[in-house]
Amino acid sequence: MMNLDTHQLCPSLSPSLNGPTGNTSTNGTTGMTFDQSMTFRLLNAIERVTSLENAIGTIEANVSATLALILEKLGALDQKIEAIRKVEVYKMAEVDFDYHKSVIDTHFKELPVKSTNAVEAIDFSLQDNTLAISLVFFSVEKFKTVKTVNKLFYLMLDFLVSKEVSNKMQWKMMPRGKDSRPGMAGLFNLLAVFGVAATTFAKKKGEQLNEGRIQQLVRDARKTHAREFRATSRGNEQAANDAPATAAGATQIQDNDGVTLKEYIDRLQALVNGFSR
């Protein structure tokens, strides 16, 4: 709103134009009639409102600039925290390796397991938060020298499940035609351990893993193990439905249960981040 000159809008109020009259209106304003006095007060009020609006505008601009600066600093802080967290997970895994190994040895007497029922038992056991957290830290430390995330999945599965058992399983939980082997897709507690350990590994290398990629990597690790088992036991025979699916440029599997798996991974990730002894 523009500033108003009361003398320009109401010349009769200017002493230089009218001169002092010595008259006093009924409201006590010297030299003004009642109407002139009310007009003067109205214009004065408008000027004050204009000044107030300008002051508010300045305050709003300052607040907006301050909020933008705060948000920028919070974003930078989040990045620093994330970088520290990646280092701390590896550091904690190294420092507490013996502890995590003892937790695993206490729960799992024989690894890798030799039956599909035992794989399902592992998944059930991993409902125990302490065991799931320890298996993540143990895997991060034990396999920290591997070069690729594919190799990480291969070694983690090899540590837990024998190649013969991998050959006796498939990915899908439902039978496919004549293939009635039990599936791995619904073993969410086990898959979450793979996911959190692999995500930690990938972040250290500047990579990102989503749930579909994690599912596919587990799927491929199982296929590779199964193929290696058949190669050593039956002269390089390979089932057509166990061909690898993530060669360079291959499309990643995005199963409908990816949303559910994300919930399990996010929950376990929060437990790992908050771990302390």
Side-chain angles (χ1 to χ4, degrees):
M1 184 179 294
M2 63 186 297
N3 293 328
L4 302 175
D5 188 336
T6 56
H7 298 308
Q8 290 180 355
L9 291 175
C10 189
S12 62
L13 301 180
S14 174
S16 62
L17 296 177
N18 295 289
T21 63
N23 295 329
T24 302
S25 65
T26 57
N27 60 9
T29 303
T30 302
M32 295 185 184
T33 66
F34 177 80
D35 289 343
Q36 291 173 333
S37 175
M38 292 303 295
T39 301
F40 178 83
R41 292 184 178 183
L42 175 61
L43 294 175
N44 188 44
I46 292 173
E47 288 179 352
R48 292 185 178 185
V49 170
T50 301
S51 298
L52 182 59
E53 287 179 341
N54 291 336
I56 292 174
T58 301
I59 293 172
E60 288 178 342
N62 291 337
V63 170
S64 297
T66 301
L67 286 176
L69 181 60
I70 291 173
L71 291 175
E72 180 181 350
K73 290 186 177 297
L74 285 175
L77 180 60
D78 285 342
Q79 293 178 355
K80 291 181 180 179
I81 292 174
E82 183 64 24
I84 293 172
R85 181 177 296 159
K86 287 187 290 185
V87 174
E88 285 186 344
V89 169
Y90 274 91
K91 183 177 179 180
M92 288 190 295
E94 180 180 2
V95 171
D96 296 324
F97 181 76
D98 290 339
Y99 164 77
H100 295 303
K101 184 177 184 302
S102 69
V103 171
I104 293 170
D105 291 342
T106 299
H107 284 79
F108 302 136
K109 301 301 183 183
E110 183 180 0
L111 291 175
V113 296
K114 302 298 193 296
S115 71
T116 58
N117 288 338
V119 178
E120 295 173 355
I122 289 178
D123 180 74
F124 183 82
S125 298
L126 289 171
Q127 295 181 65
D128 183 325
N129 292 338
T130 299
L131 178 58
I133 291 169
S134 286
L135 188 53
V136 169
F137 278 113
F138 175 85
S139 300
V140 167
E141 174 63 17
K142 183 175 178 64
F143 307 117
K144 65 181 179 181
T145 60
V146 300
K147 301 301 183 183
T148 66
V149 69
N150 303 67
K151 188 66 173 180
L152 175 68
F153 277 83
Y154 177 91
L155 293 176
M156 285 183 66
L157 185 61
D158 193 49
F159 174 75
L160 295 170
V161 180
S162 70
K163 289 182 172 64
E164 181 178 3
V165 173
S166 289
N167 188 57
K168 293 179 179 178
M169 301 189 75
Q170 61 172 326
W171 173 252
K172 295 292 186 181
M173 297 301 292
M174 299 297 293
R176 297 182 301 165
K178 296 181 180 180
D179 190 350
S180 58
R181 292 175 297 170
M184 296 186 67
L187 305 180
F188 294 117
N189 296 304
L190 178 58
L191 295 177
V193 169
F194 277 91
V196 174
T199 299
T200 301
F201 174 86
K203 283 182 177 180
K204 187 178 180 181
K205 293 184 172 296
E207 301 176 14
Q208 295 290 331
L209 292 179
N210 59 30
E211 291 69 42
R213 176 67 171 155
I214 290 168
Q215 290 171 323
Q216 187 64 68
L217 286 165
V218 175
R219 179 175 179 166
D220 285 355
R222 186 210 64 79
K223 287 182 178 181
T224 301
H225 285 189
R227 186 171 65 252
E228 290 177 354
F229 171 76
R230 290 192 298 271
T232 57
S233 62
R234 296 187 304 200
N236 296 320
E237 181 182 350
Q238 177 175 326
N241 63 355
D242 264 354
T246 55
T251 302
Q252 298 175 9
I253 299 298
Q254 298 288 346
D255 286 356
N256 293 331
D257 53 13
V259 175
T260 304
L261 177 57
K262 184 179 187 305
E263 294 173 355
Y264 278 76
I265 290 176
D266 289 347
R267 176 181 174 278
L268 181 55
Q269 184 70 70
L271 292 172
V272 168
N273 292 343
F275 171 79
S276 64
R277 289 184 59 194

